[in-house]
Amino acid sequence: MHELGIVFYIIRDVKQVAEENSVKHVSKVVMNIGEVSTVVPEYLTDCWRWAADKEDLLRGCELEVQTIGAVSFCEDCKTEFGTVAHGKTCPCCGSGKTYLLRGNEVEIKEIEIKEE
Amino acid sequence: MDKVKVIEIKKSVFEDNNREADGLRAELKSRGVFLLNLMSSPGSGKTTTLISLINRLKGKLRIAVMEADIDSDVDAVKIKESTGIESIQLHTGGMCHLDAGMTRQGLDNLPLDGFDLVILENVGNLVCPAEFDTGSCTNAMILSVPEGDDKPLKYPLMFSVCDTVIVNKTDVLPYFTFDLDRCRKNVLARNPKAEIFPVCALSGEGIDALAEHILKMVKDWKEN
């Protein structure tokens, strides 16, 4: 359940941005979550509801998760392939010299504020 | 209809923690204190291994232990009673891991300049603690024989962040299908730099080599 710790980080960052922009209430936070980031989106949104509703700034604020597919790259044959399907082994040439290009993100993409 | 204003952030949620961790490491470096973050699953023998290790190292290094658990202080009390060294208990308030902020709060309760080595016994868990940089100078983990030699495949992040892997409970090797060579191969596939130490914390077998390795890491940290 590191999702709860991550939720506390999100709240800390969003609070800071809100303060810098004199925002009183945030209606939505959009997250980019990589497919192999080990964050479970359902746990994240459950923890979010519990923690966000304790803050005036975030009461009722929705957390939207946008998933980023995991893609790896093979150094030997220069192919890109899906990490979830093939792991660390290149499906084209069988090489193990591969690395993750994307899919490890746990980032706050943007926040939305409803204007009167 | 309400108008919606969007503020783009595009920031990793780990960024602040990583910065705090780097700051903590720099401070430890300037004070000559080596912080070792020890992780493992529950029941792998972290506390028993620590006691055996500390009893070998305490004549050579000034050591303190910070125990992190969701609740209770059984580990801190056990360490203090069995080794006589300074040991404090941190509670994570339900969280499955420690981060740099929590580690710093714990260190604030220790007279840091009096120690060469501080060992942080993280919450027993192979997933979450690997995600959060605690500000430690090195990460170590214990894999016990009954857990199986396939764990590096199932928990890749944990094994890629640890440069020291301790294989504990080698006395029960005859009763399990655990294969040390296969384990070594699986660990090195995740982290080619990893050093592997088979030990039996109860009998003390292999602990001397591990103690030497830690002594060397502390010495290198202080001198370089």
Side-chain angles (χ1 to χ4, degrees), chain A residues 26-105:
Chain A
V26 177
S27 55
K28 193 199 263 188
V29 173
V30 183
M31 299 294 298
N32 280 334
I33 302 292
E35 219 179 350
V36 295
S37 66
T38 78
V39 172
V40 181
E42 292 76 15
Y43 293 174
L44 192 69
T45 45
D46 280 355
C47 291
W48 172 259
R49 196 66 285 134
W50 177 80
D53 285 347
K54 293 184 167 30
E55 307 279 342
D56 287 340
L57 177 73
L58 301 168
R59 195 157 291 122
C61 173
E62 181 194 347
L63 187 82
E64 182 185 319
V65 173
Q66 297 184 353
T67 304
I68 299 189
V71 177
S72 291
F73 181 75
C74 172
E75 286 184 359
D76 283 334
C77 74
K78 317 290 178 203
T79 308
E80 290 186 13
F81 61 91
T83 314
V84 173
H86 303 288
K88 283 175 79 83
T89 308
C90 175
C92 295
C93 72
S95 166
K97 279 167 73 181
T98 64
Y99 60 86
L100 192 67
L101 285 178
R102 57 183 173 275
N104 201 27
E105 299 78 3

Side-chain angles (χ1 to χ4, degrees), chain B residues 60-99:
Chain B
K60 297 170 183 156
L61 297 171
R62 298 165 300 166
I63 310 170
V65 171
M66 293 199 299
E67 292 287 340
D69 283 296
I70 287 174
D71 203 355
S72 104
D73 63 353
V74 288
D75 281 352
V77 169
K78 197 166 157 194
I79 293 269
K80 199 172 273 182
E81 282 176 359
S82 312
T83 65
I85 67 154
E86 183 81 27
S87 129
I88 59 171
Q89 181 77 47
L90 308 180
H91 285 156
T92 59
M95 294 240 258
C96 50
H97 61 273
L98 278 186
D99 64 10

Side-chain angles (χ1 to χ4, degrees), chain B residues 126-214:
Chain B
L126 288 183
V127 184
C128 318
E131 294 270 350
F132 295 83
D133 190 341
T134 57
S136 66
C137 313
T138 196
N139 293 322
M141 70 87 60
I142 301 179
L143 172 65
S144 64
V145 166
E147 292 169 67
D149 53 34
D150 57 353
K151 287 297 166 290
L153 304 177
K154 291 181 162 185
Y155 301 92
L157 185 64
M158 173 58 72
F159 288 87
S160 63
V161 301
C162 287
D163 286 340
T164 303
V165 174
I166 302 159
V167 178
N168 191 25
K169 308 190 187 181
T170 52
D171 53 330
V172 298
L173 272 170
Y175 308 103
F176 289 86
T177 55
F178 193 103
D179 183 306
L180 263 178
D181 287 333
R182 198 161 53 217
C183 174
R184 194 178 301 272
K185 203 175 126 234
N186 290 341
V187 169
L188 294 176
R190 299 291 158 237
N191 180 4
K193 283 194 307 182
E195 291 188 64
I196 300 158
F197 295 88
V199 307
C200 173
L202 273 184
S203 71
E205 199 184 327
I207 297 286
D208 281 337
L210 178 63
E212 277 308 311
H213 169 66
I214 290 173

Side-chain angles (χ1 to χ4, degrees), chain A residues 1-2 5-6 8-10 12-13 17 21 31-32 37-38 88 106-115, chain B residues 2-14 16-17 20 95-97 99 127-128 131-132 189-190:
Chain A
M1 281 294 278
H2 55 309
I6 289 170
F8 288 140
Y9 284 176
I10 300 171
R12 181 171 70 174
D13 285 347
V17 173
N21 292 277
M31 299 294 298
N32 280 334
S37 66
T38 78
K88 283 175 79 83
V106 185
E107 76 178 17
I108 306 172
K109 184 186 179 201
E110 61 196 25
I111 61 172
E112 289 184 13
I113 300 109
K114 280 202 177 109
E115 292 183 323
Chain B
D2 292 327
K3 275 206 319 199
V4 173
K5 180 177 147 189
V6 175
I7 301 178
E8 187 173 273
I9 300 183
K10 273 270 182 195
K11 180 187 167 194
S12 163
V13 298
F14 295 112
D16 286 354
N17 185 59
E20 268 179 62
M95 294 240 258
C96 50
H97 61 273
D99 64 10
V127 184
C128 318
E131 294 270 350
F132 295 83
R190 299 291 158 237

